[in-house]
Amino acid sequence: MTTGPRHTLPELVELQALQRLGGAALRERLLCTVPVRGAPSGGLPVCAYTLGSERPEAPALLVVGGVHGLERIGAEVAIAWLRSLVMRLAWDDTLHRQLDAVRLVFVPLLNPGGVWQGTRSNPRGVDLMRNAPVQAEDPVPWPLAGQRLSARLPWYRGRRGEAMEPEAQALCDLVETELLPRPFTLAVDCHSGFGLHDRLWFPFAHTARPIGHLPELHRLAEMLDQALLHHRYVMEPQSRQYRTHGDLWDHLYLRAGAAGPGHTFLPLTLEMGSWLWVKKNPRQLFSRHGIFNPLVDHRQRRVLRRHLGLLDFLGRAAASHARWLPQGPLREHHHQAAVRRWYGAPPVANA
């Protein structure tokens, strides 16, 4: 299928070009259309793109970008890796063997309306990463953790009792149909805007309690340290930095647990440290986009190059999950090590 008329949003133009280049290997699926004032035809599409195995038991990796409209670099990182894969289809036998074993799913632009308007929220003023029906267990900072007072204020969660926003619901539906029925899935959601370091956050954001798949995440972190030498990522639970209401990945992880045993779902958030870009170019403080994106061309190219290695690592880890998932006593070893590494407390019973 195609997304319809041409769009002037650069990210959508790029995705349309990649869909043509990918041909039958790159499948496009329209998830929803978002009404946006001033956009062509009055709305913008939210699409998923898939590469690789069609087998329902194949492991999968989901790459998401553009959840917050101001953080365009997240969408650009997701699109850059998709472009690299598409361009390698013509000649890379190793890639084809990998795609026989894994399914890659991309939602590079979840919030096209926010990108169009230059806002963190979607066109209805809702912060998609505060929109899920998850409530923080302990007191959390207002309004950063999510507020229901007004869409005119940042971090608006939406009205209490209303359904999730179409973009958030579309992502949840995709995860539940594409990812959760599989034995193993990874997800990485590309953001920017926090701190001087690139971070890989995993749930939970609504509580300081450890996630149930703590041993698997510790093993993945160990592999990252071994495979990407001298990397800049700090991998940790999001709750170590701050806690929020309404986190989509908390919601989806809890949904995966409610679906019963038999599968492993490991969602990650790549939080690119945009404060470093501002430190190197303080004038970016005077630009709303400059707080969240590298505005200097060579710096943007460097950011895009840096994270391709991470995404390639995650794709390989998903395809090879049977070789590294800890089992038996080894799983307990990783659980104990993870608690010491991330929670600084005596080991607790595995959730």
Side-chain angles (χ1 to χ4, degrees), residues 53-133:
S53 177
E54 297 282 353
R55 294 181 295 111
E57 71 275 14
L61 168 65
L62 170 65
V63 182
V64 179
V67 173
H68 293 138
L70 278 174
E71 301 170 21
R72 299 183 82 143
I73 189 65
E76 289 164 356
V77 165
I79 293 170
W81 192 47
L82 179 57
R83 169 169 279 277
S84 172
L85 294 170
V86 167
M87 300 310 293
R88 287 160 53 195
L89 287 173
W91 59 268
D92 191 340
D93 283 342
T94 301
L95 174 61
H96 281 277
R97 286 193 290 271
Q98 181 180 346
L99 291 176
D100 285 340
V102 69
R103 185 167 180 82
L104 302 179
V105 184
F106 292 80
V107 184
L109 198 61
L110 184 67
N111 181 12
V115 174
W116 179 273
Q117 296 180 338
T119 58
R120 174 184 171 92
S121 64
N122 74 352
R124 284 164 43 90
V126 176
D127 187 328
L128 300 180
M129 204 43 69
R130 302 290 188 274
N131 189 226

